[in-house]
Amino acid sequence: MPPKLAAPRKLTLAPKVKGGGKKDDESTTDPQDGQDDGWMPTKTLVKPDDQLQLNDQELKEEFTRILTANNPHAPQNIVRYSFKDSQYKQTSHVDQLAIHFALDGNLLHKDSDEAKRQLTKKQGVSEAISEKDEEEEEVAKKEGEEEEEEKDGEKKGEGEESATPDAQTSKGDKKLTNQFNFSERASQTYNNPIRERGTITEPPPRISYAANVTQWEIYDAYQQDFDRQQQSKEKKTIPGRKDEEKDKKKLTTVESQSDDVTRVARASKIVERMVNQNTYKEIAEDYRYWEDAADEHRDPQGNLLPLWKFQYEKAKKLAVTALCWSPKYPDLFAVGHGSYDFTKQTQGLILFYSLKNPSFPEYVFETHSGVMCLDIHPEHTHLIAVGLYDGSVAVYNVLTHSKEPQYFSTAKNGKHTDPVWQVRWQKDDLDNNLNFYSVSSDGRIVAWTLVKSELHFHDVIKLTMEDVPSEGPEGTQMEVLASGTAFDFHKEHDYKFLAGSEEGKMYSCSKAYSSTFLHTFSAHHMAIYRVSWNHYHNRIFVTCSADWTVKIWDISHQSDDPILTFDLNSPVGDVAWAPYSSTVFAAVTTDGKVHVFDLNVNKYESICQQIVVHKKKTKLTHIAFNKNHPVLIVGDDRGYVTCLKLSPNLRKQPKEKKTAEQIKPEEKLAQKIEYEIGKMEKILATVKTPENKQ
Amino acid sequence: MAETEGDQKKDEGKKIVHTYPLIRHSDMPEEIRVEAMELCVTACEKFSSNNETAAKMIKDTMDKKFGPSWHVVVGEGFGYEVTHEVKNILYMFFGGNVAIVLWKCS
C-alpha cells in the first residue's frame, strides 16, 4: 500500500529531469494513469522555475526501459565456505528484494484476513458486552480509529468506502463505557519478626576532683608559682652550669652520630662489595676461570694476566715497600708504603686490601715514618709487625679500631738507628710470648718480645765485618758493622737463619750464638735485597741483588759459588719462591718486568718475562705469591699494586697418579713434598756434576 | 573579698599582682591543655566583666573542638566537687582573681 500512496507525489516531479536518473525515467510513464484518476483535483502542474522546457515532439519522444527483477545493488559474488565440499563456493541465490520506502499504516484492507478477524470479534463483543478482555479493548481501539478514518475516507476514495457500512452498524451497538479496563490486585510482603538486643560499653573512666576557689587561695598559688620561677631563674644564671649542659648535649649527639655510622657500616660494606663485584665482574671471572689457551702452543713459555690494580689516593706518591698475604684469608693482603729515596722521606702507610674490593683498602694505618717492611703473624693474623725507615718497629692490631700501634719501639727500648729492612714473626718463646725479629742497616738483628703492653728486645747478633777492621780515634778498635738488608729463617730449623747485607755478604747465623757466624761468604757485588729459603728443599735458598742477578744456593756447599746464577739485566727488587712448586720462583726488576722461572723446565732462562707497569721508568719493588690461588701481586714505586694471574704453563703440577685407593690428604701432601724435593734433587745433580768436573 | 586582697597587697607594697594564667591542676595532654588554657585566656579577656558569657564561650568552643559535653565554671570564689572523665580537667587561675574550672563529663 505505501508505494501506491507515494506514486502520485512523484508525478509532479517526474518530468523535471528528462533522461536523468533511471528512477525519474520510470516515472515518466505514469502521467497518463494519473490523469485518468478522477480524484485528482486539477491538471495544473507545479513546475520549478529552472525546469527544462520541452516542445511537444520532445515530450512525445519515447524512452524505452526494460525493468528487470534484479536488484542492481545486490552483491553477485557472495562466497561461502561449504563444509560439504570443504572449499569456498559462490552462492547462486542472492536476495533481489530492495525496499526503497516503507511506511506502516493503520488502515486495513476490508478483505484482508486481519480485517475479517476483527470484524468477527467485534460482532462477538456486541453480542456479549459483559465479557471484556484485552483483545476486545484492542478491537475497540481499532474500531475507534477506523471510525475516524472512515470519516476522512468517505471523502477520499471509493476503495475505503466498503468498510463504512460495517462500522456504521457497529456504531449502533452499545458503546463501551471504559475502554481501559483495570483490575486491582493487592499483595503483602512477609514481615520479619522483631527482636531486641542490648549491650553496654564500659563508660570512660571518671575521677572526682574538688577544690575551693577563694581569692586568698588564688593569691597564694600565684605567690608560690612566682617564687618557684624566681628560684629556677637563679639556678639558670649560675655560670658554667649551662655550658656543661651544652657540652653534654653535644657529646650525646656525637655519640649517637657515630652509632649511626657503625649501624650502617656492615650494610654499606656489603653494598660496596656488591658494587665492586658488578664493576669488576669480568676481572673476577678471569681470576676464577680464564686459562690461557695459547699456552699449549708456546710450551714451555707462559704469561701473566693482569687482573685488578690496587691504588689509594694517599699512597700515590709512596713506593710499595712490602707485600704480605694474610695467612688466614686468601683474599686479604697487606701493603706497606714508604720511600726508598733517601732525600724524599715522608710518612708511611699500611693498607689492607681485599681482592673482593679492589677500589678501597679495608684497613688504613698511617705511620709517622715510611714503612719499610711488614709481616703478618701466621697465627694471630690481626697482628702486624712493621719496620719503619726511622729504625723503629711497631706492632699494629687490626682488631682494635685505634690507628695507633699497639706496641712501639722507642729510643729507650732498643730502636734501630737505621731503616729496618725486614721483620719476621717467630714462634712463641718458652713463656708463650709473641716475638719477632728485625734486621736493619745499623747491623743489628734484634729479637722483639711482646710482654703484656711492652716491647722487650735483645740483640741476637751484630753483622760485623771481620776483614775490615778499622781503627778509631786514639788507637781504639772500632767495630764496623755491615748493614743488614734481608734475612730469612730456615723452614725446619728456625734457629738457623741467613742474613744479607748491603755489601753483598751473606751471613749464616744461629740464634744460639750471638758472637760468631756459622759461615760467611760474599754472594753479590752489591746490596742483597732478598734472601729466601725454598719452601720444600731445606738446603736451597735464593738471593737477589742490585747487581742484576738472582742466585740459587745450596747451604751445604759453603763456597762463594752459587748453584745457578740468572742475570736479569736490571736491579732485582724482590724474589719469591712459588708455594706450589720447589722449582718455580718469580723476581721483579726495576725495569718493570716480572720474571718467572721454572728450573724444572729451563735452568738457564725464564719461562715468562713480562712488563707489567703501564708507564716507563716505573720500578717494580716487591712480589708475593698467593698461597691458595694461582695469582701473585707486585708492587711498584708509584704506589700501585697489581694482581697477576699465572697462566697454566707457569704452574705445572705433577700429574696425579691414578690409584684406585683413596689417598688421605696428609699422605697426598707428603707425596707432593717428596716429589718436589726429588725434582729439586734432580736439578741439583745435573748442575753439580759439571761444576765438580771443573 | 577581692578588694580586701588588693588592699593587703597595697599595704605590703612589695606584693605584685600577677595576672598571667596559672594552671593549678590539670591532667590533660600537653597539646589540649595549652589550647584550652589559651581559649580560657581569650574568653576571660574578651568578657572580663561578664563571667557567664565567658564561661559560655569556653564551653561552646570546647564542645565544638573536642566533642560534648564540657562544663565550665568561671568565678572569683566558689567551691566545687566534680566528677570528670579522665584526662579532661583543667583548673586554672587567670588575671589574679578569676578561677576557671573546665571539665568534660558526658
Side-chain angles (χ1 to χ4, degrees), chain A residues 548 550 567-574 587-595 609-610 613 618-621 635:
Chain A
W548 297 13
V550 171
D567 196 328
L568 302 185
N569 297 325
S570 189
V572 187
D574 197 0
V588 286
T589 54
T590 52
D591 57 356
K593 282 181 184 169
V594 176
H595 303 256
Q609 185 175 336
Q610 195 170 329
V613 291
T618 307
K619 297 170 184 172
L620 286 179
T621 53

Side-chain angles (χ1 to χ4, degrees), chain A residues 366-382:
Chain A
E366 286 184 32
T367 57
H368 63 278
S369 177
V371 174
M372 286 291 114
C373 51
L374 57 79
D375 191 26
I376 301 176
H377 197 281
E379 282 154 34
H380 310 281
T381 50
H382 56 280

